[in-house]
Amino acid sequence: MDACTAVGREIDKVLSKFTSYSEHASSTIASLRNNIESLQSEIDQVGSGDITETQAVILSQAIGRVKEAVTRLSTEHRDLHSSVSKVGKAIDKNFTADFGCISNDSVFSGEKQQLVNEVICQHFFREGLLDIAEEFISETGLELQEESREPFFELNRILTALKARDLGPALQWAEENREKLRSQNSSLEFKLHRLAYINLIKEGPLSVPQAIEYARIHFTPFVYQHEKVIQSLMGCLLYVKGGLENSPYADLLSPHQWSEICDVFTRDACALLGLSVDSSLAVCVNAGCTALPVLLNIKQVMQQRAVHNMWNTKEELPIEIDLGPSSRYHSIFACPILRQQSTESNPPMRLICGHVISRDALNKLTTSAKLKCPYCPVEQNPANALEIFF
Ligand SMILES: [Zn+2]
């Protein structure tokens, strides 16, 4: 953001210079033109004969003035160039143009390209950009099963309706998937009914009997799960006459309820379809943006110290980057002895004393079929160690 502000400042300077230059230039040109036009009309009045000596002097003075003004304007214009080039320098200074050195092209090559395309395509589907997704599929030649698109169409249709404050399609979907939603402990259906109820009481005192009827039918199955919320939804009826917006229940009318229901629907529907809540592409891009400054810094340090061979482990970054709790998905194990992350070929092994080290470390520490735990005095047979799966 600071980078954008810095460049923006330079652009503002250039724009203000351009404006003042253009004002100055047009006023100068206008006054010169007036001058010449009046001279011309004077000469025309004389007729076809030669111009007088005085007129010749005035004319040559005018020509001199024009030349001078043109020179001045072009000098001023040249000065503008330095301001414009300052913008370019500010961009170079504040933004890194060369990210090539911190990427590893082989990661995206071969059959992985297909996976990347699938992730991009899925993102378009999730975002409801169906026409872009179709275009992307035809351009990349991606082979996508019709069944894999279908759920997204439905999700988008329902979400679009929800955003337009139409609860119908979402309620129908929630009712159709009631059992599955219940098994994943979802409160989506109740929340949708709650909003439908709030919509009714918003209409004023006349709709109260209808709202009570609605509550009686639709809240009953949720009484045990959402007792407190239902109590407060009933309590708010007392204030409908005086206006809910001036009551302790004013938050029921907040537009936040609608953005929340969209989030709840996306989360629960994705879980039901076996999809992650966030688009994989968005997660990758966000993680990349967080990691980029750190990687650029380490690249600079590596260049300064002429260390080039530090970053050649294919699947691992040269340093650990904390992307925050929202980006933590899998537990990883780093061997406390070798200080290496475990891999499939070098998995974590649990010793009989309970301590865990990597298989490589276990092999290295084993002498004549015996292993002494590096953390406690227990001696054991390395064959008794068990592989741990996360
Ligand atoms: Zn031990």
Side-chain angles (χ1 to χ4, degrees), residues 353 355 373 375-376:
C353 52
H355 289 113
C373 173
Y375 289 100
C376 69

Side-chain angles (χ1 to χ4, degrees), residues 351-356 372-380:
L351 308 179
I352 51 169
C353 52
H355 289 113
V356 182
K372 192 212 143 281
C373 173
Y375 289 100
C376 69
V378 176
E379 237 183 33
Q380 54 204 292

Side-chain angles (χ1 to χ4, degrees), residues 327-383:
S327 299
R328 265 175 224 145
Y329 295 96
H330 307 289
S331 301
I332 48 163
F333 175 77
C335 173
I337 307 294
L338 295 177
R339 304 206 172 275
Q340 267 176 354
Q341 210 168 298
S342 60
T343 58
E344 269 178 37
S345 56
N346 180 26
M349 304 294 287
R350 181 193 178 277
L351 308 179
I352 51 169
C353 52
H355 289 113
V356 182
I357 58 175
S358 67
R359 183 182 279 163
D360 283 358
L362 180 129
N363 292 338
K364 278 189 183 153
L365 292 169
T366 305
T367 39
S368 51
K370 276 218 164 136
L371 171 77
K372 192 212 143 281
C373 173
Y375 289 100
C376 69
V378 176
E379 237 183 33
Q380 54 204 292
N381 181 351

Side-chain angles (χ1 to χ4, degrees), residues 111-258:
E111 54 184 63
K112 285 174 190 161
Q113 180 69 48
Q114 164 93 1
L115 285 175
V116 174
N117 284 345
E118 270 175 34
V119 166
I120 294 174
C121 185
Q122 208 184 64
H123 179 80
F124 288 142
F125 275 132
R126 294 182 80 121
E127 295 290 307
L129 305 165
L130 307 180
D131 44 345
I132 299 179
E134 293 300 337
E135 185 63 31
F136 184 79
I137 291 170
S138 75
E139 281 186 21
T140 52
L142 202 66
E143 282 170 19
L144 216 65
Q145 304 290 322
E146 195 56 44
E147 304 89 272
S148 57
R149 303 178 199 192
E150 212 54 57
F152 292 111
F153 292 142
E154 202 183 1
L155 280 192
N156 275 310
R157 186 178 58 83
I158 298 170
L159 256 184
T160 317
L162 270 185
K163 280 176 188 157
R165 307 212 164 177
D166 175 9
L167 291 166
L171 267 170
Q172 195 192 342
W173 184 88
E175 273 164 32
E176 283 165 12
N177 294 285
R178 184 175 288 155
E179 286 313 310
K180 289 186 203 160
L181 283 171
R182 202 168 284 171
S183 69
Q184 66 186 38
N185 222 358
S186 156
S187 52
L188 177 68
E189 195 183 347
F190 173 68
K191 284 189 168 160
L192 288 167
H193 282 308
R194 192 183 68 142
L195 268 180
Y197 168 84
I198 294 171
N199 272 354
L200 280 173
I201 50 174
K202 251 199 299 203
E203 285 171 19
L206 286 177
S207 304
V208 167
Q210 208 187 335
I212 294 174
E213 188 56 28
Y214 189 91
R216 205 170 271 150
I217 299 167
H218 296 288
F219 288 167
T220 322
F222 302 101
V223 165
Y224 295 107
Q225 232 179 327
H226 301 284
E227 195 184 342
K228 279 264 174 305
V229 186
I230 294 175
Q231 277 171 1
S232 94
L233 286 171
M234 294 294 115
C236 81
L237 289 174
L238 296 171
Y239 292 88
V240 174
K241 215 171 175 184
L244 266 191
E245 57 277 10
N246 307 316
S247 76
Y249 298 95
D251 62 311
L252 290 179
L253 303 174
S254 142
H256 174 71
Q257 308 272 4
W258 286 92

Side-chain angles (χ1 to χ4, degrees), residues 44-100:
D44 287 346
Q45 274 168 12
V46 176
S48 56
D50 290 338
I51 52 168
T52 64
E53 224 168 88
T54 336
Q55 278 175 333
V57 173
I58 295 172
L59 198 59
S60 70
Q61 274 174 353
I63 292 169
R65 269 206 305 278
V66 171
K67 276 189 180 161
E68 196 189 314
V70 170
T71 327
R72 211 174 46 237
L73 284 180
S74 67
T75 321
E76 282 173 21
H77 192 264
R78 213 176 305 133
D79 290 344
L80 279 179
H81 290 215
S82 71
S83 310
V84 173
S85 70
K86 267 190 197 156
V87 176
K89 281 179 195 151
I91 292 173
D92 288 344
K93 202 172 117 192
N94 290 290
F95 292 94
T96 312
D98 179 22
F99 294 112

